[in-house]
């Protein structure tokens, strides 16, 4: 990626984004961290992290060395220390007299609720720890977790952590086949699942997928513990399958947590890479907990006594691990956990929940924000959202229009937005504004957190000057970094540490603006090259979405003989938009949008084709599957669409295009 091409017309649009929103004086004064934290971290990075580790965690044995990087890129953080994740998330709060504080306000999809205090949750985790041990799960053993968003998911993860077992959570939307390959790769001894959950008011089964996954012999699973959630009929394998309620009832509520080595494996989480085989990202205990807890406190300005925090991520993804199960509980927060979809039974469900629990910190994904935008501002307007004081975004670049909508419509034009860049591999937030310090810019994650050495470099690994783009890298090890790919240390080195000497390569393109703020431009595999100009899919999507007619857009680079690649855009129109009507309406819409992109970015970025579609293909984690769209754009059969949240989407698009 040469500087000349990246700093061309294509990036002018984002760079012209000049709106800035400084924190109010009151917010800044009361914030958990202030501007001096950057200088403190800069003056001694390791001392800074050692301080965070000791401030946010209770160690059963103090560490003697902050970082051992002698076997790079295999890091050891807080060497010699011992710490128990579950003790930090639970027991110590109860010991500190906070047993009656609500840990989880659970809201089931059908409307059932449960209020779980720290004392309750501690007892449940102790029972589960005893129950798992009684089933032969020992320190270091792997446990596969295939559960919906219910409190038992958190209980299971923390019970594993308590006894030193390594959980591998598999998102409930993954197929039996995907579950089996993950069980096999990690050689899991135990599977914890549920009969099922609820989706849009109807029961949705989970246990049959586990049965199917384990149908063929040759696996390592001895027992399957089944939470009775939706009470649907399920097949039963005597001897192997056990009811959660019975197992927990039989277990003692007394269990003493012992410290585990700081580098003891905490969990494996599979994520997709550029190749077909998912990577088992391994996280360990001390560093992961220290950075997740610190970032949760600093980036969301969490006040555990008064805030009600809600992260909408599923525990099947890293955001659900770090910012539902671990950090909020380690920090003693009160959080909301919601089982269902945002539109069940109506499109105001999220806002109803915010009003009901007086949610003050909301952490969600741009795709959700854009969906809500599409549904219309009148829906959130029906609810009292005045409790909200901080808004977070994660998972993909957030386009300025969605950012402004989030701030104005959800945040009452007041709440700071923290756009947080990180990855399954980084374990915790790496780049984000600090809400009481940073003047935020719509669409930019802006600044590496204190103690984090993120940079943007060119092809040769040289830091690019402000105003230029390149590749996002991390120059120094960080506490919550992945330690390896489970069972494949070579792949770990190749994937992340071989592209640039001594640096972690994240796989994202990024740009520094004239202030040195960082703008994420999407995966480098999503960067297009049109007539020698590099264009970011994100950028064109952002331009399209800035048009009042467009609700959502996905852009791909389709192979083109003349220009290398051509820009092809798929757009969903807004239901409430004032669209042209009449005979030439369709071509008028396309022409208008092409010109709009030309106007926003420059003629080079004008999509060759704009296809109006009813829906976009998305993975179950909400990421647009550009690969499938590329197939359509290049006239190929999109092939395997089974990893989509809704596999029929591609069919709908193909049908629509034939019209
Ligand atoms: C993208 C999710 C822009 C990025 C925590 C990264 C983002 C990938 C942002 C990791 C953001 C995540 N702005 N892009 N704020 N956050 N990404 O592993 O491409 O599911 O590499 O972790 O999501 O996705 P993952």
């Amino acid at each position: 990626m040469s500087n000349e091409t990246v700093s061309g017309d294509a990036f002018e649009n984002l760079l012209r984004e000049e709106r800035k929103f400084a924190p109010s004086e009151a917010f800044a004064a009361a914030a958990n961290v202030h501007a001096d934290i950057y200088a403190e971290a800069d003056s001694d990075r390791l001392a800074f992290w050692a301080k965070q580790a000791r401030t946010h965690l209770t160690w059963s044995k103090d560490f003697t060395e902050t970082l051992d990087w002698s076997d790079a890129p295999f890091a050891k953080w807080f060497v010699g220390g011992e710490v128990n994740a579950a003790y930090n998330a639970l027991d110590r709060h109860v010991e500190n007299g906070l047993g009656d504080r609500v840990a989880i306000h659970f809201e089931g999809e059908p409307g059932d609720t449960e209020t779980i205090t720290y004392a309750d949750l501690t007892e449940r985790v102790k029972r589960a720890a005893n129950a798992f041990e009684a089933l032969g799960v020992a320190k270091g053993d792997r446990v596969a977790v295939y559960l919906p968003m219910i409190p038992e998911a958190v209980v299971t993860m923390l019970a594993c952590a308590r006894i030193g077992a390594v959980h591998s959570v598999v998102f409930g939307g993954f197929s039996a086949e995907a579950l089996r390959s993950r069980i096999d790769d990690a050689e899991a001894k135990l599977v914890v699942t549920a009969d099922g959950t609820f989706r849009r008011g109807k029961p949705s089964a989970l246990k049959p997928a586990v049965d199917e996954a384990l149908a063929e012999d040759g696996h390592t699973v001895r027992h399957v513990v089944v939470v009775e959630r939706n009470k649907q009929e399920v097949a039963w394998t005597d001897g192997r399958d056990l009811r959660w309620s019975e197992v927990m009832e039989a277990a003692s509520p007394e269990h003493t947590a012992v410290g585990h080595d700081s580098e003891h494996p905490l969990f494996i989480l599979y994520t997709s890479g550029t190749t077909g085989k998912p990577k088992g990202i391994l996280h360990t205990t001390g560093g992961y907990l220290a950075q997740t807890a610190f970032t949760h406190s600093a980036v969301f300005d969490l006040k555990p006594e008064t805030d009600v925090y809600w992260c909408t991520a599923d525990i099947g993804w890293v955001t659900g691990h770090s910012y539902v199960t671990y950090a909020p509980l380690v920090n003693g927060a009160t959080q909301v956990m919601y089982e269902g979809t945002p539109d069940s039974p109506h499109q105001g469900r999220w806002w109803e929940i915010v009003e009901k629990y007086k949610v003050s910190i909301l952490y969600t994904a741009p795709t959700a924000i854009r969906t809500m935008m599409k549904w219309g501002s009148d829906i959130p307007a029906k609810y009292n959202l005045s409790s909200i004081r901080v808004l977070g975004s994660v998972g993909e670049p957030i386009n300025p229009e969605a950012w402004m909508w989030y701030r104005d419509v959800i945040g009452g034009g007041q709440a700071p937005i923290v756009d947080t860049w990180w990855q399954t591999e980084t374990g915790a937030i790496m780049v984000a504004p600090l809400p009481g310090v940073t003047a935020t810019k719509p669409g930019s994650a802006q600044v590496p957190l204190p103690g984090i050495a993120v940079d943007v470099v060119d092809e040769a690994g040289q830091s690019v000057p402000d105003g230029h783009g390149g590749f996002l890298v991390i120059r120094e090890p960080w506490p919550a970094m992945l330690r390896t790919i489970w069972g494949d240390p070579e792949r770990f080195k190749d994937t992340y540490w071989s592209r640039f000497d001594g640096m972690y390569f994240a796989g994202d393109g990024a740009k520094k603006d004239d202030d040195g703020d960082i703008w994420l431009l999407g995966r480098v595999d999503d960067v297009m090259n049109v007539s020698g100009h590099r264009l970011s899919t994100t950028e064109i999507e952002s331009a399209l979405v800035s048009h009042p007619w467009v609700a959502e857009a996905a852009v791909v680079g389709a192979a083109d003989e003349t220009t290398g690649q051509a820009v092809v855009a798929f757009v969903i129109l807004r239901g409430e938009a004032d669209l042209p009507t009449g005979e030439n309406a369709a071509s008028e819409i396309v022409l208008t949008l092409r010109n709009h992109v030309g106007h926003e970015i420059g003629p080079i970025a004008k999509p060759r084709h704009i296809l109006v579609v009813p829906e976009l293909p998305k993975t179950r984690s909400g990421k647009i599957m550009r690969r499938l769209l590329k197939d359509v754009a290049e006239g190929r059969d999109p092939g395997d669409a089974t990893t989509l949240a809704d596999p029929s989407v591609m069919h709908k698009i193909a049908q629509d295009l034939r019209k």
Side-chain angles (χ1 to χ4, degrees), residues 165-442:
V166 183
H167 57 71
S168 164
V169 180
V170 179
F171 177 58
F174 277 129
S175 64
E177 209 173 310
L179 175 61
R180 174 62 183 260
S181 70
R182 286 158 174 78
I183 287 173
D184 286 350
D185 189 70
E187 300 177 287
K189 233 185 198 178
L190 174 71
V191 178
V192 183
T193 189
D195 43 11
T197 176
F198 299 94
R199 272 287 166 274
R200 302 205 162 83
K202 296 197 187 75
S204 163
L206 272 174
K207 170 89 170 25
V210 177
D211 292 332
E212 197 188 324
L214 301 181
E216 250 178 63
D217 289 345
H219 59 74
T220 45
V221 175
R222 296 202 202 146
H223 291 289
V224 177
V225 175
V226 186
V227 178
E228 301 105 314
R229 168 62 187 145
N230 70 4
K231 310 282 192 305
Q232 71 178 102
E233 285 275 317
V234 288
W236 209 255
T237 305
D238 286 328
R240 185 196 73 183
D241 296 350
L242 302 158
R243 284 185 181 76
W244 173 279
S245 58
E246 290 171 10
V247 171
M248 295 309 153
E249 189 138 343
S252 157
E254 303 298 331
H255 186 280
T256 307
V258 297
H260 299 299
D261 188 274
S262 179
E263 282 300 330
H264 184 69
L266 184 63
F267 66 84
I268 303 168
L269 182 58
Y270 289 85
T271 184
S272 41
T274 42
T275 67
K277 189 176 184 286
K279 302 174 283 195
I281 302 300
L282 180 73
H283 283 287
T284 60
T285 309
Y288 173 82
L289 291 176
Q291 192 181 332
T292 51
F294 161 70
T295 52
H296 185 250
S297 170
V299 175
F300 300 109
D301 191 43
L302 176 83
K303 311 279 196 249
E305 306 78 24
T306 46
D307 274 318
V308 177
Y309 165 85
W310 183 20
C311 168
T312 64
D314 190 282
I315 46 116
W317 311 113
V318 74
T319 308
H321 282 61
S322 303
Y323 297 104
V324 176
T325 299
Y326 288 105
L329 297 174
V330 166
N331 287 341
T334 294
Q335 70 177 317
V336 171
M337 181 176 200
Y338 172 52
E339 178 184 28
T341 47
D343 55 353
S344 186
H346 56 79
Q347 294 178 335
R349 185 72 188 267
W350 274 20
W351 314 121
E352 192 177 73
I353 292 172
V354 167
E355 178 179 289
K356 174 172 171 187
Y357 296 104
K358 300 195 169 53
V359 170
S360 56
I361 305 173
L362 179 68
Y363 190 27
T364 192
T367 182
I369 299 163
R370 290 194 298 264
T371 301
M372 309 275 173
M373 263 176 91
K374 187 168 74 187
W375 292 342
S377 309
D378 51 323
I379 295 173
K382 288 186 214 144
Y383 300 90
N384 181 354
L385 308 182
S386 62
S387 54
I388 288 181
R389 62 176 205 94
V390 179
L391 293 169
S393 174
V394 62
E396 50 176 324
I398 176 166
N399 48 294
E401 270 53 45
W403 195 102
M404 286 306 304
W405 186 87
Y406 197 29
R407 181 181 163 93
D408 289 340
V409 178
I410 307 305
Q414 297 277 326
I417 295 181
V418 285
D419 176 5
T420 63
W421 178 87
W422 59 294
Q423 309 176 296
T424 305
E425 292 88 340
T426 69
I429 299 171
M430 302 291 281
V431 183
L434 292 175
V437 178
T438 318
T440 54
K441 293 180 183 171

Side-chain angles (χ1 to χ4, degrees), residues 152-168:
E152 286 81 357
V154 171
V155 171
T156 299
M157 292 163 83
L158 290 175
C160 288
R162 190 173 186 94
I163 63 178
V166 183
H167 57 71
S168 164

